[in-house]
Structure formats: structure tokens, C-alpha cells
Amino acid sequence: MSRGASTTGGCAALLLLLSLSTCAPPRSTPPEIHALNPPRGPARGGQPVRVTGVGFDSSSRVLMGGRAARVTAQQGEELSVLTPVGIAGPVTVEVTAGDERAVLDGGYTYERIPFRLYDAAELRLEAGPLEAGLGAVADYQGDGDEDVFQAARREGLSVLVNEGERVTQRFLGPAAPDGGSPRDVFSVAAADFDGDGVVDVFLGTSGKTPSALLFGRPDGRFEEVEGTLPLLLGSEQRPVVLDSDRDGDLDLLVTASALADADAPSAVLLTNDGHGRFTDASSKLAGPKLAPRALSAGDFDGDGDVDLFFSMGSESCRLFLGDGQGAFQLAAPDALPLDSQPHAGEAAVGDLDRNGTLDLYVPTERQDQVWLNDGTAHFVNLTEVHVSPEVQAGDAARFVDLDLDGHLDVVVVERPGRLRFLRNDGQGRLFDYSSAVAGNDAAARTMDALVVDLEGDGAPEVFAGRAGVARPALFVTTLDGSDSDADGWVDSLDACPASPAAAQAHRAPFGCASSAACQQKLGCQLQVWGESAYLSCDAKVTYEAGQAFCTAQGGALARIDDEKENAALAKGLLEASWIALDDLATEGQWAANGAPLSWTSWGAAQPDNAGAGEDCGSLRPDGTWNDLPCGSAARSLCEAPRFPAASARCPVAGLDGGGP
């Protein structure tokens, strides 16, 4: 065969192979971005935008400021997208088509969103009231969503599980050691301490029981394992998770306001062996014995090692610099301002002046302090430049960019109870915007503020755990400005947009979000136990009136089914109270709301039907039951589901909206 024939045949074969190839032919037109319409929008994201250009196809992806936009449609040379959350200012837009990429510098401009926050707990959280301590944020289910862990004081551990469309509440872990007294859980640290990919929790206590370490299991349970934690007793323990020795394992530093042993330090460094077993390494804190109120950690001197800032109660604050090997040395005397504010709360750590170093916002019993870092862990007090005078004592502070303008704002937990919201004007000056935050209820004392992103969209939210038996709050920003019923709540976050109501507690048990609100509105204390909420009411009424009152609040007289529930309701009771207990239907056959009794706690020689007319039952302060004439006067105990109902009980127009 001739060379020419061979070449011709080879060419034909090559053409045949190319025609049969599944590979797409080379792109004729590389992607190119011409314009975005509109070219600007809110940093909150979710804005529909059309990207026009050439070379787009159905596989095209769009990045705006490095974050993925959601492509909703592609038609010819136009892409329809929804913008992601961003930071105020111009950003680069990228479109990829196959292996090729088009870039438009400054192609879209994000605008700062209004500093407008609302408590969205009514619509976003399916959570009942509890007596909260300090919390933590971690991924409980390993699904990539943030979940919220809360200390539930004598009930143990509460987890608000983020399921995307809803956030539900679970109670996990033991409330008390086996056979021991109830554990007063004051704080939670949540992290993977044993390296198995499942989150574990440290429970800091505030009573006579020691702290505990619970290991998470793949099925969602938590298990306490003996011998993993040194004995640690103290009041109001506050844990911080850190890698003190840069070995990749997560350690703990726990502070306590007071310890059972007066000679013991109240700052304890616990180092992890990588398997969740901790050793007391407090001797590596080289310096004076500490009695701090709180701790904040960060790399203050920029050497890559974690450093420690101790907020002190009765003496000046202290700064310890880490050496990366697990040891900490007291910083030079001039590292902190001379007036380094005793009685300080937990400081916020962040780059307030945007110079690449970590600064401190230190809440105190008097004027909060702003200390700026020169980059070498030397701080200058520039409070007068950055924050206006205020008088409320602060317990803790958090830096967070709430309006997405690229500048850190501040949220302060005030010791009286509410949150203080300070907006950064872009020059590092902080102004109080608390009055513009809807649902920032001063009646319920805020224990903790956590920066979260439960929606997973990149926009920060503030979760507030509250003390004194109350529902949590979740403060979110919104672009919605419509308020159909003119009650101060925008329609998108108003559970009853057609019914004016100053408070959003329509799905809360008895229509009040806290015990303080129930006391003010109904003259009753709110209690919780298991899956129920209870009202303990002062007013003395007849049995029938007590039934009617409980029904009007969306509940019924309390039915008591076991010894623990009985003891919980009797605790703190001053006088006998009506419960769901009567033999009105058939003499001698006692029932609870018409149903047979499953358990009783009658007092000695009770029921005695004295005078042949005692057909209604009460709970006495000693935990025993007694029969009384139904027409006599006694306090009332009401019961309702602790967790919110599926739909809101909207108030009637013209009423205050607080109750039924």
C-alpha cells in the first residue's frame, strides 16, 4: 500500500473516531460577562439578578464575591440568579462554563442592609421555655447545619436541632449522676473531643455536683464515661475550647467564680490526650493564682499560638501569652491599660479597627471599655473614641457584623437582663441601636448571646438563652418593611400579621414567653417539667373557676401522673392548689379531667369526704393530696404542652395581644 493511501485511510479512520466520540466539540464562544441587571442589591442576598453575556449554557455556574449564586434559569445568553449573602461594597462576578471562566471585576455592588432586627423565635424555633444557662453552637447531627446546645440547669442538656425548614427542641443527657442529686448545669461546651467525628459536650455546673463530659454517639445519644475528666467543682463554671499545645486535640480551660476548695485555683487548664481523656495542666499557667469571672481566647500577638485574656472580678484583668507548647506566661505589665477595669465580664475578641489584629470590647459593671491592639499584644484604651457613655453593667459581649457592611458591631449581655445592640458606623464608633430591636424583652433576663447561622445562608443571627423559665429569642435581620397591622412587627416575622400584638407569644404555653410575663399578665408563675408547662396562680378561686381559668389560657387543671412530677409541682408551693382531681361524676371514683387516675399521693386518712361534700382535690405544699369542698377557695395549678402548638392563637383585635 502506498504512503498516500495509508495516509488517506488513517485520516478517514480518525474522522470516524471523532464522529463517534462522546466528548463535546470545542466551545466556539468562550464565556464573557457583559452586565448584571440590577447591578446592585442588599447584602442580605436573595435578590433576583440577570447576568447577560455570551458563551453561557445550562452548566454555567456563577460566583459573586467568591460565594455561589443560585442559578434559577438559563435562556440564550442570559442567566437568572439569586444573589448570595455578601459584604457591602463592589464584588467580583465569575461565570464558569465548562472549563472556561469569565470574570467581571466590581460587576455587582452589595449595599449595607438596615440595622433592623426582630425576634423570630415565634416562627423559626419550635422550642418551649426552660431555665437556661450558657450555650454553645455545634453540628449535632453531622449534616452541615448549625445546632444550638443549651444548659438547661436542673433538667440537663437541651439541643435545638436544625432540620433546615424547622428547629426543634430535644432534651439529652443525664440531669444527674446515677443515684446523685440533680446536676445544676450552668454551661455547655460542644466539640469533637475524642476525634470520632461526632460532637461531644462538656457540662459545667454551678452546684455541688461535679462537671461532666458526655460523649456523642452516632445514634444521637450522649454517654458519660467515668475517668475521662478530673474532679472539678465550682460555681458558674464557664468552659472555653482551645488547642493550647497545637497538637490538633481540643483542650478545655474552665473558669469558675468560686470553688468548693478555697485554696484551689478557679481557672483550670485541661489538656486532651486525643481520645477525650483530660488531665489537669493548670500548672502551665505561669503566674499568680487567678479568680477570673470569664475568659476570652485569641492570637493577640500574631505568633500563631493561642493567648488568654482573663476578665477579673475584684482586680485588674490579666493577659497570658501562649508558647504553642501548652504553657502560658503572664504578659508584660504594660500589655493592658493601667485602668484595666475590675468587675469585667466576658470580653468580645475581634478586629474592630480592621488593621489585622485582635482587639477587645470589655463589658464592665460601669462603662464598657474598647481596647485596641497594636499587633504585639499591647492594648490602648480608646473607649472615649469608640463608644458613648452608658451605665448598665455588662456580663458578656460578642462581635458580629449584623448589617453586613464589613464592620464589626457589638452585642452586649447586660447584667440586668436584656441585650444591648451597638452598631458600628464604619469608623469604629459604636452607637446604641437597642431601641430599634423588636422583642428585646427586658422582663426575661438574658443569660447568653450566641452568634449563629441557622438558615445556613451566611447571614449572622443572635440566639439569646434566657433565665427564670423562658423561651429563647432569635434575633434576625430582614429587608421586609411591611407591617400590615402596625404593631411593630414586620409581616414576614409576625405570627399574626392581621392582629396587632406587642409581644409574639401566641404559640407559647399560656400565651406568655417567660415566667416574668406570666406573672405580669396573669398573676401566675410559670414552671416546667418534662413535656409540660404549668401555671401556679396566686388567686384563690373555686374548683370550677380554676378549671375555667386554665381552659381560658389554653390549658387545663394539672394532671399529676408520677412521684417526680408531684414533687416538682409541690416544691415552692405556699398553699394548697387545685389540680385535676375530683369524684363529681361518681362518688368515690376519683378522676383527672374525666380520666381514671394512674397514680395517687393522698395524705394520711385522705380522701375523707369530711362533711359529705368534699368532691374536689388539691395538692398541698408537703406533696400530699387532700379533698376539699369544690366551692371553697384555693390556688390553681394549670397545665399545657410545653412545646409550641402547630398554629398560633392570634389575639382579638383591640386587645393587648398578650393572652387569649
Side-chain angles (χ1 to χ4, degrees), residues 38-50:
R40 57 195 310 118
R44 188 67 177 80
Q47 174 85 2
V49 170
R50 297 193 308 276

Side-chain angles (χ1 to χ4, degrees), residues 594-628:
L597 300 178
S598 58
W599 181 85
T600 64
S601 183
W602 291 110
Q606 300 297 329
D608 61 1
N609 198 28
E614 296 188 338
D615 296 323
C616 296
S618 66
L619 172 66
R620 297 189 290 199
D622 64 358
T624 60
W625 298 357
N626 182 39
D627 56 341
L628 295 170

Side-chain angles (χ1 to χ4, degrees), residues 353-516:
D353 56 2
R354 304 181 72 186
N355 69 344
T357 61
L358 295 179
D359 307 309
L360 292 167
Y361 183 101
V362 185
T364 77
E365 285 189 353
R366 300 186 294 275
Q367 172 67 52
D368 288 357
Q369 302 285 300
V370 173
W371 298 348
L372 298 188
N373 186 354
D374 69 357
T376 65
H378 285 75
F379 292 84
V380 178
N381 187 344
L382 292 177
T383 300
E384 293 184 0
V385 176
H386 291 275
V387 63
S388 58
E390 47 78 24
V391 295
Q392 290 291 353
D395 190 60
R398 304 281 184 266
F399 278 129
V400 53
D401 183 6
L402 289 169
D403 51 2
L404 299 173
D405 65 351
H407 303 276
L408 292 177
D409 309 304
V410 181
V411 178
V412 180
V413 179
E414 293 182 344
R415 293 184 196 176
R418 69 164 194 162
L419 291 177
R420 191 186 323 139
F421 291 84
L422 305 176
R423 178 183 169 262
N424 190 329
D425 69 349
Q427 305 298 317
R429 297 175 298 187
L430 302 167
F431 295 90
D432 194 339
Y433 274 58
S434 304
S435 60
V437 178
N440 189 17
D441 185 7
R445 182 191 172 203
T446 299
M447 283 293 296
D448 195 17
L450 301 173
V451 178
V452 299
D453 181 11
L454 296 182
E455 286 195 351
D457 61 0
E461 304 151 349
V462 177
F463 177 90
R466 289 170 164 170
V469 186
R471 291 197 310 177
L474 181 68
F475 295 101
V476 304
T477 56
T478 179
L479 299 177
D480 179 19
S482 57
D483 182 6
S484 300
D485 55 5
D487 62 356
W489 294 83
V490 293
D491 292 344
S492 62
L493 297 175
D494 191 344
C496 300
S499 303
Q504 296 289 289
H506 320 305
R507 295 194 306 155
F510 312 113
C512 44
S514 67
S515 184

